Amino acid sequence: MCALSVKRSEDFSRWYQAAVIEADLAERSSVRGCMVIKPWGYSIWENMQSILDRKFKELGVRNCYFPLFIPVDLFAKETEHIEGFAKEMAIVTHSKLEKIDGKLVPTGPIEVPLAVRPTSEMIIGESFAKWVKSHRDLPLLVNQWCNVVRWEMRTRLFLRTMEFLWQEGHTAHETSEEATEFAKMMHGVYNWFITDILKIPAIMGKKPDYERFPGAVNTYTMEAMMQDGKALQAATSHYLGQTFSKAVGIQFQGRNEQLQFAYTSSWGISTRIIGGLIMTHGDDEGINTPISISPYHIVIIPIIKDEMSKNSIFEYCEKIRSVVNGNYRVLIDKTDELPQNKKWDYIRKGVPIICEIGERDVSSDSVLFHRRQPNIEKLSCRFDEFEAKSSSILQEHDNTLYKKALAMNEEKTIRNIRTIEQAKEFFESGRTGFVVANWKITKNDIEQLYEMGVSVRCSLIDSPEEFILAKAY
Amino acid sequence: MCALSVKRSEDFSRWYQAAVIEADLAERSSVRGCMVIKPWGYSIWENMQSILDRKFKELGVRNCYFPLFIPVDLFAKETEHIEGFAKEMAIVTHSKLEKIDGKLVPTGPIEVPLAVRPTSEMIIGESFAKWVKSHRDLPLLVNQWCNVVRWEMRTRLFLRTMEFLWQEGHTAHETSEEATEFAKMMHGVYNWFITDILKIPAIMGKKPDYERFPGAVNTYTMEAMMQDGKALQAATSHYLGQTFSKAVGIQFQGRNEQLQFAYTSSWGISTRIIGGLIMTHGDDEGINTPISISPYHIVIIPIIKDEMSKNSIFEYCEKIRSVVNGNYRVLIDKTDELPQNKKWDYIRKGVPIICEIGERDVSSDSVLFHRRQPNIEKLSCRFDEFEAKSSSILQEHDNTLYKKALAMNEEKTIRNIRTIEQAKEFFESGRTGFVVANWKITKNDIEQLYEMGVSVRCSLIDSPEEFILAKAY
């Protein structure tokens, strides 16, 4: 029996949809392209936020909040940037609603239309221009956690939605070298977060020119392979050169007394990574989450067959919680739902250990539980063994997830591709995965690949002549 | 010498502006009516969030995230609600920008215009309608931390801005009693947060009919008195009856097997409270923050006159930090700014203890510091006394703030007003403050008061025949 209604092997795309919905992470809203993030999904995001936020603060980055709206004429000051976003922006044009002939109509047209931020380089740059006067004000390191909007036609929960949540860091520096170094360091932070924390194997790469963020000089990317062999851009860090500092005038008095333009960087990761997490670690039973971001590590389900034994079972559940609490997040689910339904619900949600505690466990001083990884397995132990047992399972959990993901990754990676023909052959055969290639790729090659739905994801940071070809989300 | 450029007694409104700007909490942005919340201001907000968020979670409330946009036709389903907000909404009407005759123009008109949420009863209610099927699904308790937009013509930093940050809690219940109880409980939580945590004396009240939230049956409010005697609505909790459940169809199978409409509540507090904090505890030297939300409790400023002694001074600063760290948030400010400027900056920011550490302190094993409350005072002690001294100062800090605020409050409160004439006399004399009144107030009375800029803020929860008259923010 599988907990999810669709298997990965049947239809990966439908499986993904089922995993999100059936683990109760998120759902579509009536607003076209927007999603509702439900408690379990939002809790995963909160855990991610808290880990990243702590890291950013350790690095001296300070949180701020900048306006949701960007006046269109400000946005337009940087040509490449506006061109990159002009076709996918929500534009506010009115400030009122009025009932005209029984129908609510926008009225009160505003002078300068406002774009709902798709990203904040321009609006944050404008503040930077005010804040930076001397080289002593640099580096300037800020971040905001917020919502952004990009008008998307075809949307998928977490992966591509009109509105999404993210953090966007923005920094200004005295020299090109410092700004580059900072952008690279943040690339390293994302690498740590994605591989060490989320246990998603990913490639540190640099985007080709034509795939860069609009306005960037260099875009560093984390490319992760999903179980269907497609790539997901999991986070990016941009070295922006003087593009934005020239557009909005971030100038400072240098050490040589001359007025000069600052060098900036920006870097972000979004709720999209939750989609990546699901497509990396999910299985036919549901999603799986590494320990540090799991909403709960252990869920205890009391099984009450007789009201008489209710109190003693609840007490025993509390006793179990008390031996593992502190180190792990533990939930005792006392809701009215049927225990069997609860169990499958938590399996779909990827809870690493699910205890089912009934009268027999109380009287025999034992604990019945289900381990989620590497396979769902029903286990039992004496009460006094449970602390050590659960702890060893939870310590192995992340490792198991990572090993599985890495094995899948290896299986779907082909190396040493030296010609367009070899590359085409791979994808024409119907296979998916990462092709690690190394040849002088031409515009014509790129077009041929593009027609097959394949793109150059990035060149490798550690081996810049090599590049990755893949289909992508 | 005063740290701020304007004194409260000169011009309270200009003083407020100066306090926000000169303590570097926030500033205006180029987007009309929107502000930029700067690191110190945002850190205060983060501390507030973390305290409230923990409390909400303890009460079983779970965080979610709902769409920024509300289709206008959905919004319009509740007459009173839409009428309350129709005149102050940002409306998205287009999804693209295009260059026409060299000018960027909104194109791609969208079918149903989208309102940027001014509040989320309708859009969250729509999700509730999907989630609630049986009485077993109730109560449903959710919250979101997000941005909202209300088109304001006259804006003031924190107090009234077009976009602001807040939390909005939304709940659905089986019975009217439960929903009312919950709304009242959250009112109690806000009372705890505002008086016990923020040390702002405030009145627990109920709004008169004509001042209720659009669509609410009852609005419970916290009314705090600012130093100029004006009232600030600091948080509200609404019992919404079946208004929204009928508008969007939140129906459930009751215990009697009948389909029935749920009863809902909503409750919120916003970044506006930072304005209230400043106008309650601020003085002519700058802002003051109670301990639990202060970004830093102790700032140590190294005073380097001679590069030779730099390392020993830095080491000594670390040594000071090490004895107080853990219990308190401590910053050693090693930036290049002049020590004198740093000191005044932290005074304006309301840091409770500011140490100035130079060569002499190192050699004499002593600590020179400035205590912020009850008055700025320069003190000194032996190194081994500093832990106890600073701890006793910080323990007194909140109490001092509260006592000052309470005294101001008492001074500007007049009680036992029994007629419109007595009330008018008070305000006509040019005094400001809270008038605690008790008479059968008529529509005509209300209009007369309104002409004087005075309104009925609320009736008292503990004494419902009494009501508060005041000018308000």
Side-chain angles (χ1 to χ4, degrees):
Chain A
M1 177 179 177
C2 291
L4 293 185
S5 62
V6 188
K7 284 189 184 169
R8 287 165 297 174
S9 58
E10 289 170 31
D11 183 334
F12 193 77
S13 169
R14 275 184 50 236
W15 166 84
Y16 173 75
Q17 177 91 351
V20 174
I21 300 290
E22 294 171 25
D24 217 20
L25 303 181
E27 65 184 25
R28 293 192 179 278
S29 81
S30 71
V31 190
R32 207 189 56 81
C34 290
M35 67 175 163
V36 174
I37 307 180
K38 298 180 77 172
W40 200 271
Y42 199 78
S43 173
I44 290 174
W45 180 239
E46 283 181 317
N47 291 337
M48 288 181 176
Q49 284 186 297
S50 109
I51 293 165
L52 279 171
D53 198 65
R54 203 176 314 128
K55 174 63 81 177
F56 296 157
K57 282 174 178 157
E58 277 168 24
L59 296 171
V61 177
R62 297 181 307 167
N63 285 341
C64 293
Y65 188 76
F66 296 89
L68 169 68
F69 297 131
I70 307 172
V72 163
D73 48 10
L74 169 64
F75 208 97
K77 280 189 183 170
E78 213 300 301
T79 319
E80 203 180 319
H81 191 58
I82 183 81
E83 274 170 10
F85 288 103
K87 291 201 179 100
E88 50 173 43
M89 284 206 284
I91 313 285
V92 173
T93 56
H94 293 75
S95 68
K96 282 190 185 82
L97 285 177
E98 218 174 289
K99 211 163 214 165
I100 297 176
D101 298 335
K103 221 188 133 208
L104 274 168
V105 178
T107 57
I110 60 178
E111 220 168 303
V112 179
L114 301 172
V116 181
R117 64 178 162 225
T119 181
S120 302
E121 277 71 14
M122 294 302 285
I123 193 86
I124 293 182
E126 200 182 40
S127 282
F128 276 18
K130 275 191 258 178
W131 300 351
V132 173
K133 292 185 175 77
S134 142
H135 63 89
R136 273 183 294 270
D137 301 322
L138 298 172
L140 182 56
L141 317 172
V142 309
N143 175 63
Q144 71 175 351
W145 291 95
C146 66
N147 53 345
V148 284
V149 171
R150 295 175 190 180
W151 205 273
E152 299 277 359
M153 292 312 288
R154 270 179 299 178
T155 59
R156 301 191 66 194
L157 291 166
F158 289 119
L159 292 175
R160 193 173 291 278
T161 47
M162 192 161 103
E163 181 191 13
F164 56 89
L165 304 181
W166 78 349
Q167 65 60 221
E168 49 178 322
H170 295 264
T171 69
H173 306 262
E174 208 176 330
T175 66
S176 161
E177 291 70 29
E178 281 176 49
T180 298
E181 273 319 300
F182 199 91
K184 284 183 177 172
M185 183 184 68
M186 291 316 305
H187 192 206
V189 167
Y190 290 135
N191 182 46
W192 159 81
F193 180 69
I194 292 165
T195 59
D196 288 12
I197 302 296
L198 302 186
K199 302 295 169 191
I200 299 175
I203 283 170
M204 291 183 82
K206 196 168 115 175
K207 285 282 176 198
D209 306 358
Y210 48 92
E211 295 278 2
R212 283 195 302 240
F213 176 79
V217 175
N218 271 319
T219 288
Y220 304 102
T221 180
M222 297 301 306
E223 298 286 325
M225 189 202 293
M226 305 294 101
Q227 287 182 61
D228 62 351
K230 284 195 194 168
L232 182 90
Q233 181 178 304
T236 48
S237 180
H238 316 289
Y239 165 60
L240 303 170
Q242 294 182 316
T243 308
F244 293 94
S245 68
K246 285 186 173 163
V248 294
I250 310 173
Q251 278 181 297
F252 65 97
Q253 195 91 39
R255 287 171 206 270
N256 60 2
E257 303 290 313
Q258 299 288 301
L259 206 59
Q260 48 202 268
F261 287 104
Y263 296 83
T264 67
S265 91
S266 68
W267 27 279
I269 192 167
S270 77
T271 41
R272 186 169 209 228
I273 192 69
I274 299 175
L277 188 83
I278 296 165
M279 292 196 293
T280 301
H281 298 309
D283 56 33
D284 294 342
E285 317 293 345
I287 73 161
N288 280 289
T289 45
I291 294 300
S292 50
I293 59 151
S294 295
Y296 290 101
H297 302 121
I298 301 175
V299 170
I300 304 170
I301 304 171
I303 302 186
I304 317 289
K305 292 203 168 122
D306 178 354
E307 277 298 305
M308 291 282 287
S309 60
K310 190 169 164 174
N311 283 341
S312 67
I313 290 175
F314 280 176
E315 269 169 37
Y316 191 70
C317 291
E318 289 292 353
K319 200 174 138 198
I320 296 171
R321 165 148 70 183
S322 71
V323 300
V324 283
N325 225 357
N327 297 318
Y328 299 110
R329 292 186 278 268
V330 185
L331 172 74
I332 301 174
D333 183 344
K334 295 183 180 174
T335 58
D336 282 345
E337 192 56 70
L338 288 173
Q340 193 64 2
N341 293 350
K342 288 187 197 178
K343 183 184 85 182
W344 285 106
D345 182 41
Y346 292 117
I347 284 175
R348 285 189 294 265
K349 288 181 156 73
V351 173
I353 295 176
I354 302 164
C355 303
E356 291 185 298
I357 302 302
E359 239 172 286
R360 218 170 47 186
D361 300 271
V362 179
S363 61
S364 65
D365 215 32
S366 62
V367 180
L368 179 85
F369 62 97
H370 303 266
R371 186 183 66 187
R372 184 70 172 81
Q373 285 298 332
N375 298 298
I376 298 175
E377 197 172 348
K378 192 168 176 171
L379 298 164
S380 168
C381 69
R382 291 202 322 273
F383 173 81
D384 57 14
E385 294 171 327
F386 184 69
E387 183 180 4
K389 256 228 154 101
S390 60
S391 175
S392 105
I393 290 171
L394 293 172
Q395 274 165 34
E396 246 340 275
H397 182 80
D398 277 12
N399 207 2
T400 308
L401 291 183
Y402 192 65
K403 272 195 278 185
K404 279 187 182 181
L406 207 57
M408 176 275 295
N409 221 286
E410 278 304 313
E411 195 195 300
K412 292 182 195 282
T413 299
I414 177 167
R415 292 172 215 277
N416 293 315
I417 295 297
R418 295 282 178 171
T419 64
I420 176 79
E421 288 72 27
Q422 287 177 304
K424 280 173 73 174
E425 197 188 313
F426 176 85
F427 290 107
E428 270 164 1
S429 74
R431 291 170 69 187
T432 53
F434 280 12
V435 169
V436 187
N438 184 348
W439 82 83
K440 274 246 161 286
I441 195 163
T442 65
K443 211 179 153 197
N444 185 265
D445 295 344
I446 293 166
E447 275 164 18
Q448 283 186 56
L449 290 164
Y450 196 73
E451 272 166 36
M452 305 172 72
V454 174
S455 58
V456 179
R457 302 308 305 154
C458 60
S459 60
L460 304 188
I461 292 291
D462 291 339
S463 166
E465 315 76 47
E466 291 187 284
F467 53 91
I468 303 287
L469 298 174
K471 298 189 175 182
Y473 278 95
Chain B
M1 178 178 174
C2 292
L4 294 185
S5 62
V6 188
K7 283 187 185 173
R8 286 166 296 174
S9 58
E10 287 169 33
D11 182 334
F12 192 77
S13 168
R14 276 185 50 235
W15 166 84
Y16 173 76
Q17 177 91 350
V20 173
I21 300 290
E22 294 171 25
D24 217 20
L25 303 181
E27 65 184 25
R28 293 192 178 278
S29 82
S30 70
V31 189
R32 206 189 57 81
C34 289
M35 67 175 163
V36 174
I37 307 179
K38 299 181 77 172
W40 200 272
Y42 199 78
S43 173
I44 290 174
W45 181 238
E46 283 180 318
N47 292 337
M48 289 182 175
Q49 283 187 297
S50 109
I51 293 165
L52 279 171
D53 198 65
R54 202 176 317 128
K55 175 63 82 179
F56 296 157
K57 282 174 177 155
E58 278 168 24
L59 297 171
V61 177
R62 297 182 305 168
N63 284 342
C64 293
Y65 188 76
F66 296 88
L68 170 69
F69 297 130
I70 306 171
V72 163
D73 49 9
L74 170 63
F75 208 98
K77 280 189 182 171
E78 214 300 303
T79 319
E80 202 180 321
H81 192 58
I82 183 81
E83 275 171 9
F85 287 103
K87 292 199 178 104
E88 49 173 43
M89 285 205 283
I91 313 286
V92 173
T93 56
H94 293 75
S95 68
K96 281 191 186 82
L97 285 177
E98 216 175 289
K99 210 163 215 164
I100 297 177
D101 298 335
K103 221 188 135 207
L104 275 168
V105 178
T107 57
I110 61 178
E111 220 168 303
V112 179
L114 300 171
V116 181
R117 64 180 162 224
T119 181
S120 302
E121 277 72 14
M122 295 302 287
I123 193 85
I124 293 183
E126 201 181 41
S127 281
F128 276 18
K130 276 191 258 178
W131 300 351
V132 173
K133 292 187 175 79
S134 141
H135 64 88
R136 274 183 293 270
D137 300 322
L138 298 172
L140 182 56
L141 316 172
V142 308
N143 176 62
Q144 73 176 348
W145 292 94
C146 66
N147 53 345
V148 284
V149 171
R150 296 175 188 180
W151 204 273
E152 299 277 0
M153 293 312 289
R154 271 178 299 177
T155 59
R156 301 191 66 193
L157 292 166
F158 289 118
L159 293 176
R160 191 173 291 276
T161 47
M162 193 161 103
E163 181 190 13
F164 57 89
L165 304 181
W166 78 349
Q167 64 59 221
E168 49 178 322
H170 295 264
T171 70
H173 305 262
E174 208 177 329
T175 65
S176 161
E177 291 70 28
E178 280 176 49
T180 298
E181 273 320 300
F182 199 90
K184 284 183 178 173
M185 184 184 70
M186 291 316 304
H187 192 206
V189 167
Y190 289 135
N191 182 47
W192 160 79
F193 180 69
I194 292 166
T195 60
D196 288 13
I197 302 296
L198 302 186
K199 302 296 169 189
I200 299 176
I203 283 169
M204 291 183 83
K206 196 167 116 176
K207 286 282 176 197
D209 306 356
Y210 48 91
E211 294 278 3
R212 285 194 302 241
F213 176 77
V217 175
N218 272 320
T219 288
Y220 303 103
T221 180
M222 297 300 306
E223 298 285 325
M225 189 203 292
M226 304 294 102
Q227 287 183 61
D228 62 351
K230 282 196 195 170
L232 182 91
Q233 181 177 303
T236 47
S237 180
H238 316 289
Y239 164 60
L240 303 170
Q242 294 181 316
T243 308
F244 293 94
S245 68
K246 285 186 174 164
V248 294
I250 310 173
Q251 278 181 297
F252 65 98
Q253 195 91 39
R255 286 170 205 270
N256 59 3
E257 303 290 312
Q258 300 288 302
L259 205 60
Q260 48 203 268
F261 287 105
Y263 295 83
T264 67
S265 91
S266 69
W267 28 278
I269 192 167
S270 77
T271 39
R272 187 169 208 229
I273 193 68
I274 299 175
L277 188 83
I278 296 165
M279 291 196 294
T280 301
H281 298 309
D283 56 34
D284 293 342
E285 317 292 346
I287 73 161
N288 280 289
T289 46
I291 293 300
S292 50
I293 60 151
S294 295
Y296 289 102
H297 302 121
I298 301 175
V299 170
I300 304 171
I301 303 171
I303 301 186
I304 317 289
K305 294 205 168 121
D306 178 354
E307 277 298 305
M308 290 282 287
S309 60
K310 191 168 162 172
N311 283 341
S312 68
I313 291 176
F314 280 177
E315 270 169 37
Y316 191 69
C317 291
E318 289 294 353
K319 200 174 139 197
I320 296 171
R321 165 149 68 182
S322 70
V323 300
V324 284
N325 225 357
N327 297 318
Y328 298 110
R329 293 187 278 267
V330 185
L331 172 74
I332 302 175
D333 183 343
K334 295 182 181 174
T335 58
D336 281 344
E337 191 57 69
L338 287 174
Q340 191 65 1
N341 293 350
K342 289 188 196 176
K343 182 184 87 181
W344 285 106
D345 183 40
Y346 291 117
I347 284 175
R348 283 188 296 265
K349 287 180 156 72
V351 173
I353 295 175
I354 302 164
C355 303
E356 291 185 298
I357 302 302
E359 238 171 286
R360 217 170 48 186
D361 300 271
V362 180
S363 61
S364 65
D365 215 33
S366 62
V367 180
L368 180 84
F369 62 96
H370 302 266
R371 185 183 68 187
R372 184 70 172 78
Q373 286 296 332
N375 298 298
I376 298 175
E377 197 172 350
K378 192 169 177 171
L379 298 164
S380 168
C381 68
R382 291 202 323 272
F383 173 81
D384 57 14
E385 294 171 327
F386 185 68
E387 183 181 3
K389 258 231 152 97
S390 60
S391 175
S392 105
I393 290 170
L394 294 172
Q395 274 165 34
E396 245 340 276
H397 182 80
D398 276 13
N399 206 2
T400 307
L401 290 183
Y402 193 65
K403 271 196 277 186
K404 278 188 183 181
L406 207 58
M408 177 273 297
N409 221 286
E410 278 304 312
E411 195 196 301
K412 290 183 197 284
T413 300
I414 177 167
R415 293 172 213 277
N416 294 315
I417 295 298
R418 295 281 177 171
T419 63
I420 176 79
E421 288 73 27
Q422 286 177 308
K424 281 173 73 174
E425 196 188 310
F426 176 84
F427 290 106
E428 270 164 1
S429 75
R431 291 169 70 186
T432 54
F434 280 13
V435 168
V436 187
N438 185 348
W439 82 82
K440 273 244 161 287
I441 195 163
T442 64
K443 210 178 156 204
N444 184 266
D445 294 344
I446 292 165
E447 276 165 17
Q448 282 186 56
L449 290 164
Y450 195 73
E451 273 167 36
M452 302 172 72
V454 174
S455 57
V456 178
R457 303 308 304 155
C458 60
S459 60
L460 304 189
I461 293 290
D462 291 339
S463 166
E465 314 77 47
E466 291 187 285
F467 53 92
I468 303 286
L469 298 174
K471 297 188 176 182
Y473 278 95

